[in-house]
Amino acid sequence: MRATWAPGRPSAQGAPASLRRPLPGDLDRVAERLVSRPDRPARDLAARLWPLDAWSAAARSLLVQVDRARRPAGRLAAFAAVVRHLLADPVLPAELLPPGWPGAELRDAYTEYQREQSGQVRARGGRT
């Protein structure tokens, strides 16, 4: 999964403590690293830093689109929109997400679509 950083000032970025990626060894030559803890609950801060309600609403709308799309071109267009939307998922730990977060459901729908498409290609003997 791709980690998403919360926007700060043009020269400042923040990331959740759950980001467990080793930092480049020479980072200290070009950047300053700071560790801080917010005064507000982490879930409130996440909701302030990322547009979680808007992302969730758009994901639910895409799930409806995907469910309604019947023709191949319509399904392709709907799932292309799903992929673009998943790229904007902040991939936060579950405890920071609002109740009913549709991220897993959207990823599952896309995974199923990939399976369908792979099955069709295999059924045609690998021809597209």
Side-chain angles (χ1 to χ4, degrees), residues 1-2 55 59 62-63 66 79 82-83 85-94 97 101-115:
M1 293 220 160
R2 183 173 70 86
W55 193 97
L62 285 169
L63 286 166
V66 161
F79 279 105
V82 166
V83 169
H85 193 62
L86 286 171
L87 290 172
D89 185 345
V91 194
L92 295 171
L97 295 172
W101 183 254
E105 187 178 353
L106 197 60
R107 280 188 290 281
D108 290 347
Y110 181 65
T111 298
E112 182 56 33
Y113 177 71
Q114 286 179 307
R115 272 192 207 109

Side-chain angles (χ1 to χ4, degrees), residues 41-60:
R43 182 178 270 188
D44 293 349
L45 181 61
R48 187 168 168 232
L49 293 174
W50 288 278
L52 301 179
D53 290 340
W55 193 97
S56 182
R60 290 182 198 297

Side-chain angles (χ1 to χ4, degrees), residues 6-86:
R9 295 181 18 178
S11 62
Q13 297 285 320
S18 62
L19 183 58
R20 303 275 187 240
R21 180 181 295 169
L23 297 172
D26 61 349
L27 180 65
D28 292 333
R29 290 187 338 186
V30 295
E32 187 68 33
R33 287 184 285 158
L34 305 170
V35 177
S36 65
R37 299 271 179 234
D39 288 337
R40 70 184 76 212
R43 182 178 270 188
D44 293 349
L45 181 61
R48 187 168 168 232
L49 293 174
W50 288 278
L52 301 179
D53 290 340
W55 193 97
S56 182
R60 290 182 198 297
S61 176
L62 285 169
L63 286 166
V64 169
Q65 268 185 271
V66 161
D67 190 50
R68 290 181 180 166
R70 298 286 176 246
R71 300 186 64 170
R75 289 179 53 74
L76 177 63
F79 279 105
V82 166
V83 169
R84 284 190 301 274
H85 193 62
L86 286 171

